[in-house]
Amino acid sequence: MSPVRPRSLLAAAVAATALLSAAAPAVQAAPAPVAAVAAPDIPLANVKAHLTQLQSIATANGGNRAHGRTGYRASVDYVKAKLDAAGYTTTLQQFTSGGATGYNLIADWPGGDPNQVLMAGSHLDSVTSGAGINDNGSGSAAVLETALAVSRAQLAPDKHLRFAWWGAEELGLVGSKYYVNSLGTTERSKLAGYLNFDMIGSPNPGYFVYDDDPVIEQTFKDYYAGLSIPTEIETEGDGRSDHAPFKNAGVPVGGLFSGADYTKTSAQAQKWGGTAGQAFDRCYHSSCDTTANINDTALDRNSDAVAHAVWTLSAGSVTPPAGTVFSNATDVAIPDNGGAVTSSVSVTGRTGNAPSALKVGVDIKHTYRGDLVVDLLAPDGSAYRLKNSSGSDSADNVITTYTVDASTETANGTWRLRVQDIAAQDTGYIDSWQLTF
Ligand code: DTR
Ligand code: CA
Ligand code: ZN
Ligand code: ZN
C-alpha cells in the first residue's frame, strides 16, 4: 500500500488496518491512539459553576438562552471572557438566521500543526422554552472546562486545538453549518477531526458513543472501558447535532450523548442504573431544563471523557509511538522432525489489548527452513500462524518480522513463539525473538 500522509484520524486508521491483511483473517476495530500525556481530571465543581452562570444568564434574560435573544449573546460573552483570560485566540463569527443575528464562538489554542486541526465543540444556544442547562449547557460547560484545562496545563500537542460553541443549533444546526460552509475546501481539509458534545449530563443518563470515525469512537470506548462502564452506539444521532455538517464535509467526527426524550429500557437501567421506562431527560426542550436537571455522575464522567479524547487525539501519531520491545534471546534447540518447542516473553505494563499491527521479530537459525512451522501464541493460548512449512523452501534461517492483528488479545501476559520441524535431516534453534508494542 503506497505510504499516505494521514489527513485524518480515519485515514491513518485505514493505513494501519491495511497492515493487517497479511496476518489477520478479519479487519478489527481501528486502533485507539495513545496520548503522550494523560489528560487531567476535569473538576466537576468547575463544570457546574459554568452551569450556574448559564442558569443565571437565562434567568436574567427572559428565562432562556435562545438564538436571537439577549440570553444567547450573554452566554457567548461569558464563555469568551473565560477563554480570553486563559490565552485563547477567540473569534466571534456572526450569521443571520430567522432575521436575528447569531454567533459562533471559535477559540484557537496557539501552537500545533496548522495543517492538523482537532476541533471539539458544542452548541451554546437553548430552546426558547427554558435555560437549556442539559441541552446544551452540559456540553458547552464541559468543552469550556476542557479548554481551560488545556490552558492550565499549557498543553503543547502536535495537532492544533480549536474549540467551538455554536449558535442556532436548535433552529437546524444553523451555526455549525455556517462555519463549515464558510471554511472553504482548503481549511476544511486541515480538520483532522471534530468532537461533538450535545447533552452529556442527562438526569436519567445513558452512555452513548457516536459510531462515526472508528478511531474517535474507539478512543471514547477505551475511556469508558477503563471505568468499566458499558457504552452503546448512538444510532439516532446522525444529522441531529452539530457533527452532521462536519461529517457531510468528510471530516472524521465523533462524540458523546447521555440521551434526550427517548425512554431508557430495563436492560439499559440494568447496566447504567437510573429508571427504566422513563426518558433519559424528561425536561428535554422544556422549562424544567435547569441546573436541577443534571446527573452529576454523568456530567463528571463525560467531562473527563472530553478531556481524554482531546488529549489523546491531539497527540501527533494516531498509532502509538515506536513501541516497547519485549524479547527473549535464550537459544532453544528445535528437534529434527520432532515435537514443537516454545520460547516465551512476559509482557507487562501495557493497558488494554495488544495492537492491531503487533510486530513479531524472529531469528531462527535452521538449515532448510521449509521444514519449519512457526506460530505466535497469545497469553490465552490463541495461535497466530506466522509461517507454514514449505517443501520447496530450501534456504536457511528465518530472520524476519511478521505483523499480526492481535487487537482481540490482552496485551499483558506470557506470549510464546512456537516452532516445529516437521521433516527429517535438518536441525537448528530459536536464536531470539521479540514483540514490539
Ligand atoms: N438534537 C439535539 C439533541 C439530540 C437528540 N438526539 C441526539 C443524538 C445525538 C446528539 C444530540 C441529539 C438537540 O436537541 O440539541
Ligand atoms: Ca472529573
Ligand atoms: Zn435541543
Ligand atoms: Zn442540543
Side-chain angles (χ1 to χ4, degrees):
M1 174 173 188
S2 59
V4 288
R5 179 176 176 276
R7 169 181 91 80
S8 71
L9 302 169
L10 177 61
V14 168
T17 302
L19 291 171
L20 316 183
S21 52
V27 171
Q28 299 291 336
V34 176
V37 290
D41 172 73
I42 298 300
L44 173 64
N46 293 10
V47 180
K48 294 196 72 168
H50 299 315
L51 295 183
T52 300
Q53 288 296 323
L54 294 178
Q55 178 69 64
S56 300
I57 287 167
T59 303
N61 289 275
N64 68 66
R65 299 180 305 99
H67 165 74
R69 309 293 180 87
T70 53
Y72 179 72
R73 179 61 200 258
S75 301
V76 170
D77 292 345
Y78 169 76
V79 175
K80 185 178 185 297
K82 291 285 185 185
L83 294 162
D84 288 340
Y88 280 84
T89 304
T90 58
T91 307
L92 267 187
Q93 181 184 49
Q94 283 194 19
F95 59 86
T96 302
S97 181
T101 301
Y103 304 91
N104 291 324
L105 172 61
I106 311 298
D108 284 280
W109 180 241
D113 181 353
N115 295 308
Q116 287 280 304
V117 179
L118 179 69
M119 288 191 71
S122 61
H123 75 86
L124 185 56
D125 64 309
S126 75
V127 290
T128 54
S129 53
I133 297 305
N134 185 39
D135 183 19
N136 184 36
S138 62
S140 296
V143 173
L144 172 58
E145 192 57 28
T146 296
L148 297 179
V150 165
S151 173
R152 288 193 292 267
Q154 286 296 292
L155 188 67
D158 296 279
K159 295 186 178 68
H160 176 77
L161 278 178
R162 180 175 300 153
F163 298 92
W165 289 262
W166 308 116
E169 185 271 349
E170 300 290 5
L171 278 69
L173 320 182
V174 176
S176 54
K177 282 178 183 172
Y178 182 85
Y179 175 79
V180 172
N181 293 338
S182 307
L183 268 185
T185 308
T186 304
E187 288 307 305
R188 261 200 304 271
S189 71
K190 296 175 184 177
L191 297 183
Y194 171 70
L195 312 178
N196 192 60
F197 305 99
D198 183 357
M199 301 181 74
I200 61 171
S202 303
N204 187 25
Y207 292 89
F208 298 97
V209 176
Y210 293 12
D211 61 335
D212 290 295
D213 178 74
V215 174
I216 298 175
E217 178 182 346
Q218 196 61 43
T219 300
F220 285 121
K221 281 179 169 177
D222 284 355
Y223 180 76
Y224 275 103
L227 298 178
S228 301
I229 294 171
T231 55
E232 287 187 11
I233 290 304
E234 165 46 50
T235 50
E236 44 96 22
D238 273 0
R240 293 197 60 174
S241 192
D242 295 303
H243 58 301
F246 289 88
K247 181 175 181 179
N248 295 339
V251 177
V253 301
L256 298 172
F257 179 55
S258 54
D261 49 350
Y262 281 41
T263 301
K264 181 181 279 186
T265 66
S266 303
Q268 290 171 328
Q270 278 292 324
K271 61 180 162 183
W272 288 328
T275 309
Q278 190 179 97
F280 294 101
D281 180 353
R282 287 186 294 181
C283 292
Y284 176 59
H285 286 185
S286 306
S287 59
C288 56
D289 188 4
T290 66
T291 45
N293 188 48
I294 289 290
N295 177 286
D296 285 359
T297 303
L299 183 62
D300 190 14
R301 287 168 172 169
N302 283 325
S303 299
D304 292 335
V306 174
H308 170 78
V310 166
W311 257 253
T312 302
L313 295 168
S314 63
S317 63
V318 172
T319 51
T324 305
V325 175
F326 299 86
S327 62
N328 186 338
T330 303
D331 292 359
V332 179
I334 305 166
D336 184 25
N337 193 22
V341 292
T342 61
S343 171
S344 60
V345 295
S346 174
V347 174
T348 58
R350 311 298 302 175
T351 56
N353 286 2
S356 51
L358 174 63
K359 299 293 184 192
V360 187
V362 302
D363 183 342
I364 303 169
K365 302 290 195 305
H366 196 286
T367 54
Y368 209 103
R369 67 185 175 204
D371 287 3
L372 299 180
V373 173
V374 184
D375 294 299
L376 173 69
L377 302 183
D380 69 356
S382 306
Y384 292 78
R385 178 55 49 89
L386 303 179
K387 177 191 175 299
N388 290 311
S389 61
S390 164
S392 61
D393 186 356
S394 59
D396 295 342
N397 306 330
V398 181
I399 303 172
T400 188
T401 298
Y402 299 96
T403 300
V404 174
D405 174 10
S407 57
T408 59
E409 305 294 345
T410 302
N412 289 334
T414 300
W415 294 71
R416 288 171 294 154
L417 186 74
R418 180 173 67 191
V419 182
Q420 185 172 13
D421 178 342
I422 55 120
Q425 296 169 21
D426 285 278
T427 58
Y429 61 96
I430 302 172
D431 190 347
S432 67
W433 73 292
Q434 66 182 46
L435 291 173
T436 302
F437 280 76

